Amino acid sequence: MRAASAEWLVLLPAATLIAFWLGGEGWLIGMAIGTPVAMALFVLVKRAWQGPPALALTPGLATEQHLLAMFDDIMSNRVITGQTTACFVVMFDEPETVVSRHGRLAHEAVIAKTAERLSLVLRQGDIVARLSEGGFAIGLSPVRRFDLETAVQLAVRVQKAAVAALAVDEMTIYPSVSVGFCVLERAPGPKAAALLGAARIAADDALRHGPGAIRAFSPEMSRRRSDRAELREGLEQALDEGQIRPWFQPQLCTDTGAISGFEALARWHHPQRGIIPPAEFLPMVEDVGLSERLCEVMLYGALSALNRWDKAGYAVPRVAVNFSAPELRNPRLVEKLKWEMDRFNLSPGRLTIEVLETVAGQSDEDVIVTNLAALSKLGCGIDLDDFGTGMASIANIKRFAVNRIKIDRSFVTKADTEAAQKKMVAAIVSMAEQLGLSTVAEGVETPGEHATVAQLGCAHVQGFGIARPMAIEESFGWIERHQKGLSKTLRLGRSRG
């Protein structure tokens, strides 16, 4: 209403004199009564025409526009006041987990209570705004000095406030957040949007290194983000042009030392950047909806490799391919695999389907269960990958028709030197034996780890200690060398006997 009042006040003295001159006291009294009414009507009509003001996404919070306005004000007056500020972005780690476990209403309650907690650890005048992509942005009211060390201390305080246990509808929820921040002096540009954008980039970097990470903005983050965006745009082209293809890591039988199979692992050979690590591009594949396309590329490459090994006279019993949840949900998956196996003239037993334990632990979907049961009945092997890192119950192992458990590398590492690691591997192997399942130890890197898991009864091993993933062209030489070494060992064993 202030803007409307200002427009009228400029003319009010002149209007008052004109009214008295034309009509005397009567007109003057009418002017005094009518002016406020006219002003009120003008404001109501103006508001109705412009629509309601922008509201915060959560009651009691500022909007992103309010935050930017504060930053703009501080920046424009900085030369005069000498004051500075900083922006913090607080993002929830894996918010979809809270939604799936407790429901959408509980998630909204967590957001509202977290906003209250953040406000309590800040000063009067600081702003907490809800961001459209989730999480919060915090803007500090002007301060004389705010260095990097002080910013880190505040980030830690904000994080501690956000992650304390919350009681929501008789449930206890433990939020997890990552924090990114940028102080004004390190902002990549002179505008408010640049400061907020920098804090967002830092928060994104924190999420990638989380959970519970804290990151300060640096120019390198912008470059890495730009690189990731460029890679994301080139993913589909890379799949179509064969830049992304399978490399193969061997698996050995612990009883005989013979090759028991290969696992197909996606590798991206970029024409300018060389080999791009899977950790950089695999999350993007899922983000842009290309999981099924990647699976098609990997399956074709894996079955082609089996044919090439067969023609070369090498005995490779099977190849394992990772299947994502979107691919496993395909109602025509079994029909598709039958066609592919016939196309390459291979029996279904030559193909192993690898399913992440996180998929088995979180999925109750009948389509996935039905597909895996049908593939197992067809003769394909079913491996449960990264066992011990997810939440797969024994019931889910049975439902998913699992034949073999892959013991995660986090348990295999130092199993030969640390008693706790050795006990964990022994417990998993014992459970698998009771369930009639075979086992593969992943991440075997030393002869000691190899010997230990073999002694504990693990049937197969895989890891850098045996061989790193290799292109199909390199695999022929490796197989040849391995078989010669194995033959030599067997001959030495016989001569000693």
Side-chain angles (χ1 to χ4, degrees):
M1 183 158 176
R2 288 179 182 175
S5 300
E7 294 169 4
W8 282 86
L9 287 173
V10 173
L11 301 174
L12 189 58
T16 303
L17 288 172
I18 292 171
F20 183 74
W21 182 69
L22 291 175
E25 293 181 1
W27 279 43
L28 184 62
I29 293 170
M31 184 76 178
I33 296 172
T35 298
V37 174
M39 289 174 62
L41 289 172
F42 173 79
V43 171
L44 289 173
V45 171
K46 186 176 180 181
R47 285 181 178 173
W49 178 261
Q50 292 178 337
L55 298 175
L57 295 178
T58 302
L61 295 181
T63 64
E64 189 173 317
Q65 288 71 26
H66 293 146
L67 183 73
L68 292 172
M70 185 187 80
F71 286 147
D72 274 330
D73 186 59
I74 295 171
M75 290 174 165
S76 61
N77 294 314
R78 188 182 178 195
V79 175
I80 300 172
T81 64
Q83 293 178 318
T84 186
T85 185
C87 182
F88 293 75
V89 169
V90 182
M91 299 297 292
F92 290 98
D93 297 312
E94 300 179 353
E96 65 279 357
T97 302
V98 176
V99 175
S100 62
R101 290 182 184 175
H102 307 289
R104 181 68 60 182
L105 292 178
H107 177 60
E108 291 299 323
V110 168
I111 291 172
K113 292 190 177 185
T114 302
E116 293 175 10
R117 288 177 167 182
L118 294 179
S119 299
L120 290 175
V121 299
L122 298 172
R123 303 167 304 153
Q124 187 174 2
D126 294 341
I127 287 181
V128 180
R130 176 80 187 278
L131 297 175
S132 57
E133 69 268 27
F136 306 94
I138 297 171
L140 298 188
S141 58
V143 291
R144 279 287 178 187
R145 183 174 176 274
F146 196 77
D147 57 21
L148 192 61
E149 183 180 351
T150 308
V152 172
Q153 292 171 356
L154 180 57
V156 171
R157 189 160 78 244
V158 164
Q159 189 180 61
K160 284 183 177 178
V163 301
L166 281 171
V168 178
D169 295 334
E170 300 181 354
M171 298 180 295
T172 301
I173 299 176
Y174 297 89
S176 176
V177 301
S178 292
V179 182
F181 66 87
C182 181
V183 295
L184 179 56
E185 288 72 17
R186 297 196 173 196
K191 298 293 186 181
L195 179 60
L196 176 57
R200 275 182 161 129
I201 291 171
D204 180 58
D205 195 75
L207 284 172
R208 289 171 59 82
H209 292 86
I214 294 174
R215 291 290 185 273
F217 172 78
S218 67
E220 291 75 17
M221 289 179 182
S222 293
R223 287 193 288 270
R224 289 198 296 267
R225 192 179 202 187
S226 177
D227 288 345
R228 289 196 298 272
E230 186 180 333
L231 289 177
R232 184 179 284 109
E233 290 177 3
L235 266 175
E236 191 165 5
Q237 180 181 353
L239 287 167
D240 290 340
E241 294 181 354
Q243 297 174 26
I244 299 177
R245 55 195 179 107
W247 281 25
F248 300 92
Q249 188 172 40
Q251 300 167 338
L252 303 183
C253 174
T254 54
D255 284 339
T256 65
I259 297 169
S260 55
F262 278 85
E263 180 183 0
L265 299 164
R267 293 293 184 269
W268 184 353
H269 193 285
H270 196 278
Q272 282 80 43
R273 303 185 187 186
I275 298 296
I276 297 173
E280 285 192 27
F281 74 87
L282 287 181
M284 298 180 195
V285 170
E286 187 172 351
D287 289 345
V288 298
L290 289 172
S291 295
E292 291 188 70
R293 177 76 182 101
L294 174 63
C295 192
E296 289 175 359
V297 169
M298 296 298 291
L299 181 63
Y300 178 86
L303 299 183
S304 297
L306 280 175
N307 264 351
R308 292 180 66 177
W309 290 323
D310 287 349
K311 290 176 181 177
Y314 296 129
V316 177
R318 66 184 65 86
V319 66
V321 179
N322 290 274
F323 276 62
S324 65
E327 182 71 3
L328 291 170
R329 292 190 192 102
N330 184 351
R332 300 187 62 185
L333 177 61
V334 179
E335 178 185 340
K336 175 181 173 181
L337 287 188
K338 279 183 182 178
W339 186 86
E340 291 287 356
M341 301 305 287
D342 289 342
R343 174 187 179 188
F344 286 93
N345 195 28
L346 295 168
S347 66
R350 305 287 302 278
L351 176 66
T352 295
I353 313 296
E354 288 204 5
V355 184
L356 286 171
E357 190 190 8
T358 49
V359 174
Q362 296 175 4
S363 178
D364 293 322
E365 297 183 43
D366 290 337
V367 175
I368 293 181
V369 174
T370 302
N371 275 341
L372 289 174
L375 290 171
S376 179
K377 187 176 180 181
L378 185 65
C380 296
I382 310 293
D383 279 4
L384 187 61
D385 199 9
D386 294 345
F387 184 78
T389 62
M391 301 176 294
S393 65
I394 292 176
N396 270 346
I397 291 174
K398 291 181 178 178
R399 289 175 66 238
F400 279 75
V402 172
N403 308 117
R404 192 166 65 165
I405 288 174
K406 300 191 75 176
I407 305 172
D408 187 69
R409 69 185 63 194
S410 60
F411 303 117
V412 174
T413 300
K414 297 184 179 179
D416 56 329
T417 58
E418 294 185 7
Q421 293 289 87
K422 186 174 182 178
K423 287 179 181 178
M424 184 61 73
V425 173
I428 296 173
V429 171
S430 176
M431 182 203 72
E433 289 175 349
Q434 294 296 319
L435 295 173
L437 304 175
S438 184
T439 49
V440 183
E442 293 186 284
V444 172
E445 296 190 358
T446 66
E449 290 170 357
H450 189 161
T452 298
V453 297
Q455 290 167 3
L456 292 173
C458 194
H460 307 272
V461 287
Q462 173 183 351
F464 288 177
I466 296 157
R468 291 178 176 270
M470 63 194 82
I472 180 64
E473 294 79 11
E474 299 172 16
S475 69
F476 299 104
W478 185 90
I479 294 172
E480 187 73 30
R481 291 190 298 274
H482 178 76
Q483 290 185 342
K484 285 180 179 178
L486 188 62
S487 176
K488 183 178 179 181
T489 302
L490 290 173
R491 287 198 301 272
L492 286 172
R494 291 194 191 98
S495 64
R496 287 173 183 171

